[in-house]
Amino acid sequence: MRIKNIAVFLATVLLLLGVACTAVPAGETGPSSASTAPAKSETDVSSEESAVVESRPEGNPSSETPFEAFSDSSSGQAMLPSAPEMAQGLFSQGYPQAQVELEKMTLEEKVAQVFLFRCPSEGALSTVQTYQPGGFMLFAKDFDGKTADQVRMELESYQNASKIPLFLAVDEEGGTVVRVSRNPNLAPNRFESPQQVFEQGGMQVIVEDTVQKTQLLQSLGVNVNLAPVADVSIDPGDFMYARTFGQDAPGTAEYVKTSVKTYNQQRMACALKHFPGYGNNVDTHTGMAQDHRPLETFTDSDFLPFEAGIAEGVPMILVSHNIVACMDPDRPASLSPEVHRILREDLGFTGLILTDDLAMEAIPDYTGGENPCAAALNAGNDLLLSSNVQEDYNALLKAVQNGTVTEERLNEAVLRILAMKYCTQYQWERVVG
């Protein structure tokens, strides 16, 4: 009888152990592991930073409006890689130091780090000192009428005021979008469009032009160029045509590959735009754009330049505000977990994903004026382009504090940003010139 009781006891213990083992899915180690997290005017708009500071409505963010329901952390979030998986991709060299620095940061510092703020016309230095943001987006107003020494001194003062090196970014595409070379004090001539440059001597001249851009920008202290444009357009009637390479997908892919390779050789960070491909859509600076092209158009054409850039090691990709029906008929690409899943999983991109400027009219038109920052981070973006410093910062901080955005999702974005900044592939020196 005693032996029988012992046998029953052992069988019960084994049964309980089996139940306990099934409580943690394979590949996870419990709460301490890195689990799957929920995952503009465009940079070329010239309007000044809004001075309006608004706070989000009180109450449960998942029960007030359809947009707030979407932005809740329990719905519609991208599946994101764990920290070990992240460290195996781009910026692998920077992840060890990034993890150390992340653990030192306050919640407020982490929230600020995911923002690329439009550089304020006044109080830019105090903005760095107060918020410690991820970086500044610089526009023509930040260069016009200034000498090279003046620009260097300003940008250097921002870097010196920041605990972590800043992204100092511009749109110096060439042609219709130039921020720096339009100032004759900084460059003898404006950079020409990629189409014009190519006509002068093919890809070799594209290389030479890209080198000239990087040397000028780096000499001033700029360390990120949001270029090249990877959109495919062969129709001069398209809104985006003048900014594109003007050739079919294979030709545009070759241009992107050549450009990214040259930027990387020059240790200059660049960004492809506007994923998943702008096509013939209207201007999202002025309202929403609906893209009804079939998925095959993207897989057979629009994705090719992005895939070429990813294969060449592009560090950053900017996502548009177009609503692409075949991927997500309900949300702009910049706020769509599915679009980000495609970029991460189907195209295998392990670098930094950033939004187009969240002040572009396409976003408030979609959100009804509700702040989009929580939805943008939950969708899978790492870096948010913002023209509203206080409003956007406060909204995202509140979203993390109330659980609309998990701190785990925030940490993943910050970790990738820091890993890029601590990766010696790029020049993040604080002293320039």
Side-chain angles (χ1 to χ4, degrees):
M1 188 69 175
R2 183 176 181 181
I3 293 174
K4 182 178 179 180
N5 288 340
I6 291 173
V8 171
F9 173 76
L10 290 174
T12 302
V13 170
L14 290 172
L15 179 63
L16 290 173
L17 286 173
V19 171
C21 289
T22 60
V24 179
E28 295 186 11
T29 58
S32 63
S33 67
S35 62
T36 300
K40 73 160 190 349
S41 21
E42 179 197 0
T43 56
D44 58 355
V45 169
S46 59
S47 60
E48 296 300 322
E49 176 187 5
S50 171
V52 178
V53 180
E54 299 177 359
S55 58
R56 292 171 62 91
E58 298 298 327
N60 183 352
S62 65
S63 62
E64 296 188 7
T65 69
F67 172 71
E68 289 183 8
F70 155 64
S71 65
D72 188 274
S73 62
S74 63
S75 65
Q77 295 174 336
M79 298 297 289
L80 297 163
S82 66
E85 291 171 339
M86 289 169 61
Q88 294 174 6
L90 286 174
F91 324 138
S92 59
Q93 182 189 61
Y95 277 103
Q97 186 176 355
Q99 185 64 52
V100 171
E101 296 301 322
L102 179 68
E103 293 171 1
K104 298 177 185 177
M105 297 173 73
T106 66
L107 176 61
E108 291 76 12
E109 288 172 336
K110 288 189 286 188
V111 168
Q113 192 62 208
V114 303
F115 282 107
L116 187 67
F117 289 134
R118 176 189 290 266
C119 187
S121 298
E122 297 180 1
L125 183 58
S126 64
T127 298
V128 177
Q129 295 167 334
T130 301
Y131 292 95
Q132 295 292 307
F136 276 155
M137 189 70 208
L138 304 166
F139 288 82
K141 68 177 180 60
D142 301 303
F143 300 97
D144 284 351
K146 297 176 182 178
T147 66
D149 285 341
Q150 288 175 319
V151 174
R152 290 188 194 104
M153 289 178 62
E154 286 185 3
L155 300 192
E156 190 172 328
S157 72
Y158 304 156
Q159 289 287 18
N160 289 337
S162 182
K163 297 177 183 177
I164 296 169
L166 294 165
F167 290 136
L168 294 175
V170 294
D171 296 299
E172 192 70 17
E173 299 172 8
T176 60
V177 180
V178 289
R179 310 296 185 212
V180 181
S181 63
R182 59 182 275 161
N183 179 353
N185 295 327
L186 305 179
N189 300 293
R190 293 182 178 219
F191 285 107
E192 295 181 308
S193 73
Q195 296 178 32
Q196 294 171 315
V197 173
F198 183 76
E199 289 175 358
Q200 296 170 16
M203 287 299 172
Q204 181 54 43
V205 185
I206 291 289
V207 171
E208 295 168 2
D209 181 74
T210 304
V211 170
Q212 291 174 12
K213 283 192 181 82
T214 62
Q215 290 178 345
L216 172 61
L217 298 181
Q218 289 172 335
S219 74
L220 298 172
V222 176
N223 53 31
V224 178
N225 191 15
L226 297 193
V229 172
D231 301 303
V232 177
S233 175
I234 57 174
D235 182 354
D238 293 344
F239 164 72
M240 191 59 65
Y241 175 79
R243 296 170 60 187
T244 71
F245 192 53
Q247 295 191 17
D248 61 10
T252 304
E254 185 63 26
Y255 159 67
V256 167
K257 177 182 177 180
T258 300
S259 299
V260 171
K261 181 177 181 179
T262 306
Y263 277 109
N264 283 342
Q265 288 173 340
Q266 297 295 310
R267 297 179 61 204
M268 179 79 179
C270 65
L272 303 185
K273 55 189 184 186
H274 310 74
F275 189 81
Y278 210 91
N280 61 355
N281 287 282
V282 298
D283 184 1
T284 50
H285 298 94
T286 58
M288 286 188 287
Q290 298 273 352
D291 191 332
H292 295 288
R293 293 177 295 160
L295 184 61
E296 290 76 15
T297 300
F298 291 90
T299 57
D300 296 344
S301 178
D302 289 65
F303 285 175
L304 299 187
F306 291 97
E307 291 173 320
I310 291 170
E312 199 59 49
V314 68
M316 308 170 83
I317 293 181
L318 181 148
V319 180
S320 77
H321 297 320
N322 296 339
I323 297 177
V324 185
C326 65
M327 301 178 198
D328 189 336
D330 301 319
R331 301 162 183 149
S334 55
L335 305 183
S336 168
E338 175 60 13
V339 169
H340 289 75
R341 184 203 66 76
I342 290 170
L343 182 53
R344 290 287 186 212
E345 296 182 11
D346 296 352
L347 273 64
F349 182 59
T350 61
L352 210 64
I353 300 178
L354 62 157
T355 69
D356 212 335
D357 195 321
L358 294 173
M360 291 171 65
E361 287 301 319
I363 295 301
D365 280 358
Y366 168 76
T367 65
E370 191 65 33
N371 192 282
C373 291
L377 200 64
N378 279 338
N381 296 287
D382 303 302
L383 194 62
L384 312 182
L385 269 64
S386 164
S387 292
N388 304 303
V389 175
Q390 289 177 300
E391 179 183 350
D392 286 352
Y393 170 83
N394 289 335
L396 185 58
L397 178 61
K398 182 177 179 181
V400 178
Q401 290 171 335
N402 68 25
T404 301
V405 175
T406 67
E407 193 164 356
E408 185 176 30
R409 168 76 270 262
L410 175 65
N411 287 346
E412 198 230 1
V414 175
L415 185 64
R416 188 176 279 116
I417 291 168
L418 295 179
M420 180 173 174
K421 290 183 174 183
Y422 292 126
C423 182
T424 57
Q425 164 65 27
Y426 307 102
Q427 290 189 10
W428 307 120
E429 289 86 349
R430 294 170 184 267
V431 180
V432 297

